[in-house]
Amino acid sequence: MTGVASVIAARKAAGSGALIGYLPAGFPDLRTSIEAAVAIAESGVDVIELGLPYSDPVMDGSVIQAATLQALNAGFRIRDGIDAVAEITSRVDVPVLVMTYWNPVVQYGVDRFADELLAAGGAGLITPDLIPDEARDWLAASERTGLDRVFLAAPSSTDERLAQAVARSRGFVYAVSTMGITGARSDVDSAAKTLVARLRAVGATSTCVGLGISTPEQVREVLQYADGAIVGSALVKALSDGGVPAVAATAARLATGCTLS
């Protein structure tokens, strides 16, 4: 069992679920992004999803797009993200998964990226635009290094596609709660519950739900049927509006939703 899977399993054994928090590396600057990641870990986030800014973030909503564009305009590079992982993991005992579109990894070199991420203490990758049957190089590199690989599953996916995502994911399967892009919504799409049930029917043992979760109540709702809740835009907006203190307070508030009793 990997570090991420162990954390999620421990939360399940305790009768609750895991809170996964997304923040982009390099926003509003590299130093602040590291401090923000450390702060959310210290405020109740169980797994950090550290995003690598990319120029064509097709899955990201306006809040995250604006943040990643600012980071890129300030000169963010992939090596900065790996350095951020190294510092975060040296300061908090929380797994750090890197969320990245696939092209930057290819340009950097798949094996080089995997080796450097492993050396930095990273737990693995979430790859939103990479499907399992086109992931040969990443599957090989992650097998060699032991890094987690988190593939996405959507409500529109066929049962065959869901089975592929389950078979080849390690750590958890990322269930997309609604069709579209990231961003806080007033209601988490009911399709998420059905999707989690479909994933479990094809063998998933650890499924986390993301896209549109922004309140403790929504975290609690999702954890009634899933193993983890993933929050992004609400944390990024808090960081943008109020800096590290605000994002820490937001994480602490969201973490109250992990108490299911």
Side-chain angles (χ1 to χ4, degrees):
M1 187 176 289
T2 68
V4 171
S6 295
V7 166
I8 294 172
R11 293 293 273 159
K12 287 172 63 176
S16 62
L19 176 62
I20 299 168
Y22 167 92
L23 288 172
F27 174 77
D29 55 72
L30 187 60
R31 171 49 46 194
T32 304
S33 70
I34 292 169
E35 296 302 325
V38 170
I40 65 171
E42 293 175 339
S43 300
V45 166
D46 299 297
V47 177
I48 295 169
E49 179 184 346
L50 190 70
L52 294 188
Y54 180 51
S55 58
D56 187 25
V58 294
M59 190 180 126
D60 296 329
S62 59
V63 171
I64 294 175
Q65 281 194 23
T68 55
L69 180 62
Q70 181 175 325
L72 288 171
N73 287 340
F76 178 87
R77 296 292 181 267
I78 288 179
R79 183 65 227 182
D80 296 327
I82 293 171
D83 289 344
V85 171
E87 182 164 346
I88 295 163
T89 57
S90 74
R91 293 173 58 184
V92 291
D93 188 21
V94 170
V96 179
L97 284 168
V98 168
M99 195 290 282
T100 179
Y101 294 91
W102 188 238
N103 188 58
V105 178
V106 173
Q107 296 300 317
Y108 197 77
V110 176
D111 284 314
R112 176 189 175 197
F113 190 101
D115 289 340
E116 292 186 9
L117 180 61
L118 181 66
L125 295 183
I126 298 171
T127 50
D129 62 342
L130 182 68
I131 59 176
D133 52 0
E134 295 179 359
R136 178 179 176 180
D137 290 347
W138 171 229
L139 292 171
S142 57
E143 281 301 306
R144 180 176 59 79
T145 56
L147 291 167
D148 279 347
R149 47 183 186 248
V150 177
F151 292 107
L152 272 63
S156 59
S157 300
T158 64
D159 288 345
E160 181 181 8
R161 287 286 188 190
L162 295 184
Q164 286 181 340
V166 168
R168 295 180 180 173
S169 288
R170 187 162 57 205
F172 63 88
V173 180
Y174 190 131
V176 179
S177 68
T178 187
M179 300 304 292
I181 58 176
T182 61
R185 294 175 173 84
S186 59
D187 295 300
V188 176
D189 198 322
S190 62
K193 189 172 184 178
T194 300
L195 177 57
V196 171
R198 291 178 62 207
L199 285 164
R200 287 189 171 147
V202 294
T205 58
S206 184
T207 303
C208 300
V209 172
L211 274 69
I213 303 169
S214 60
T215 68
E217 293 74 22
Q218 289 173 338
V219 170
R220 186 173 294 111
E221 174 191 344
V222 165
L223 293 181
Q224 297 293 331
Y225 58 85
D227 304 304
I230 304 167
V231 180
S233 294
L235 291 170
V236 178
K237 187 176 188 305
L239 178 59
S240 178
D241 291 347
V244 174
V247 78
T250 299
R253 187 168 62 253
L254 289 164
T256 64
C258 295
T259 305
L260 304 183
S261 57

